[in-house]
Amino acid sequence: MAGLPERHGRPIAYWVSAQIRKIFADSEVLGNLIDARQGMATSDNNRFLRLWWEISLAKKAGLVNSHEEAKATGKKWFPLNKGGIYRKWYGNQEYLVNWENDGEEVMGYAAELYGSPTRTIKSISEYFKASVSWSDVTSAESAFRWYPTGFIFDATGHSAFPNSSISAEQLLSFCNSKLASKLFKILNPTMHFHVGYFKLLPTAVISHSKIVSIVSNLIQWGKDDWDSNEISWNFTNTPLLKQDYKNQKLK
């Protein structure tokens, strides 16, 4: 298909409209403007991963901003973006990874298995950065989510990192659209949507900055919805017991 870099090959999509072909032909690819990465594979998730309610909260780190800050906490378990179920805007924050002492144990295990830890513990420099993320396996429409600073990301929690060229809100508004879902299926019709395909998305249809406030609200509503569930570590009580809900029922 015209517009895609030759080194990546070109998908055969003879059925697409002239308008879609023009989008690809006239657009710079997303990978030229924004960094997207695959994260770590521990090689033994039973050993290195936990659901957050399985461990003592005294050993759980909060949302840190850097490797230095993470190490200084002295904590063992850190928030992990592991992809997860279909969910847009926010959520799927259930897992923790053993990153004690800057990942000493999991890095040592990878080095023991493969000779080099970075063969499977990838993108270390991007850990703890805020990101827009999606799950590796997608069976329906695309579902992209916002992750604030403080997360390490897994090989199944692909992550892109907003910058001055494309904000998180602009990226989310595009990637969660019907058009993006159609473009994803053109680039790769299988159930897996890898980072390489993400980088081939055209940028001509990225939303303008006026969408920012709308998407910010969607992220906040997604967060409120996630935190209303007992599997969120920010859960306090069910919305059914909150006073504003009771007041509505009394009207």
Side-chain angles (χ1 to χ4, degrees), residues 174-210:
F174 166 56
C175 290
N176 280 335
S177 69
K178 294 287 187 181
L179 175 59
S181 289
K182 185 172 184 177
L183 297 176
F184 294 153
K185 290 180 174 63
I186 293 170
L187 290 169
N188 179 33
T190 73
M191 292 178 64
H192 294 271
F193 195 73
H194 299 308
V195 168
Y197 294 112
F198 173 85
K199 290 181 177 180
L200 293 178
L201 287 167
T203 59
V205 288
I206 296 291
S207 302
H208 295 295
S209 57
K210 64 183 180 181

Side-chain angles (χ1 to χ4, degrees), residues 221-234:
W221 293 336
K223 183 179 187 304
D224 292 344
D225 179 68
W226 178 256
D227 290 341
S228 71
N229 194 308
E230 290 181 350
I231 63 173
S232 169
W233 52 60
N234 291 319

Side-chain angles (χ1 to χ4, degrees), residues 90-101:
Y90 195 92
N92 291 356
Q93 300 175 11
E94 304 161 89
Y95 280 90
L96 306 173
V97 62
N98 177 356
W99 196 251
E100 187 175 24
N101 197 26

Side-chain angles (χ1 to χ4, degrees), residues 42-71:
T42 69
S43 300
D44 190 347
N45 283 351
N46 288 333
R47 175 178 173 182
F48 294 110
L49 302 191
R50 294 289 185 274
L51 292 163
W52 70 266
W53 54 83
E54 294 179 316
I55 58 97
S56 167
L57 292 182
K59 296 182 179 181
K60 176 185 175 296
L63 298 179
V64 300
N65 294 302
S66 66
H67 284 275
E68 294 75 20
E69 189 177 334
K71 190 172 183 179

Side-chain angles (χ1 to χ4, degrees), residues 23 27-28 30 33-34 89 163-180 183 201-216 218:
I23 288 173
S27 299
E28 187 170 13
L30 193 55
L33 298 179
I34 197 165
W89 310 116
N163 54 38
S164 58
S165 298
I166 301 176
S167 70
E169 292 83 1
Q170 288 175 289
L171 191 58
L172 280 167
S173 68
F174 166 56
C175 290
N176 280 335
S177 69
K178 294 287 187 181
L179 175 59
L183 297 176
L201 287 167
T203 59
V205 288
I206 296 291
S207 302
H208 295 295
S209 57
K210 64 183 180 181
I211 201 72
V212 167
S213 62
I214 298 172
V215 177
S216 294
L218 290 169

Side-chain angles (χ1 to χ4, degrees), residues 61-200:
L63 298 179
V64 300
N65 294 302
S66 66
H67 284 275
E68 294 75 20
E69 189 177 334
K71 190 172 183 179
T73 66
K75 302 292 187 179
K76 180 173 183 178
W77 300 100
F78 289 79
L80 177 72
N81 166 12
K82 200 180 183 306
I85 62 173
Y86 177 90
R87 187 174 178 90
K88 290 184 176 181
W89 310 116
Y90 195 92
N92 291 356
Q93 300 175 11
E94 304 161 89
Y95 280 90
L96 306 173
V97 62
N98 177 356
W99 196 251
E100 187 175 24
N101 197 26
D102 213 25
E104 181 178 29
E105 190 173 347
V106 69
M107 295 274 282
Y109 184 65
E112 179 184 328
L113 289 178
Y114 308 112
S116 170
T118 54
R119 179 174 172 182
T120 54
I121 312 299
K122 298 180 179 180
S123 306
I124 298 170
S125 62
E126 308 309 300
Y127 294 173
F128 308 114
K129 292 182 180 181
S131 69
V132 168
S133 182
W134 70 100
S135 301
D136 175 67
V137 177
T138 56
S139 59
E141 294 182 356
S142 55
F144 285 68
R145 297 170 292 279
W146 168 246
Y147 281 83
T149 55
F151 284 81
I152 293 170
F153 57 104
D154 185 91
T156 56
H158 303 315
S159 298
F161 303 94
N163 54 38
S164 58
S165 298
I166 301 176
S167 70
E169 292 83 1
Q170 288 175 289
L171 191 58
L172 280 167
S173 68
F174 166 56
C175 290
N176 280 335
S177 69
K178 294 287 187 181
L179 175 59
S181 289
K182 185 172 184 177
L183 297 176
F184 294 153
K185 290 180 174 63
I186 293 170
L187 290 169
N188 179 33
T190 73
M191 292 178 64
H192 294 271
F193 195 73
H194 299 308
V195 168
Y197 294 112
F198 173 85
K199 290 181 177 180
L200 293 178

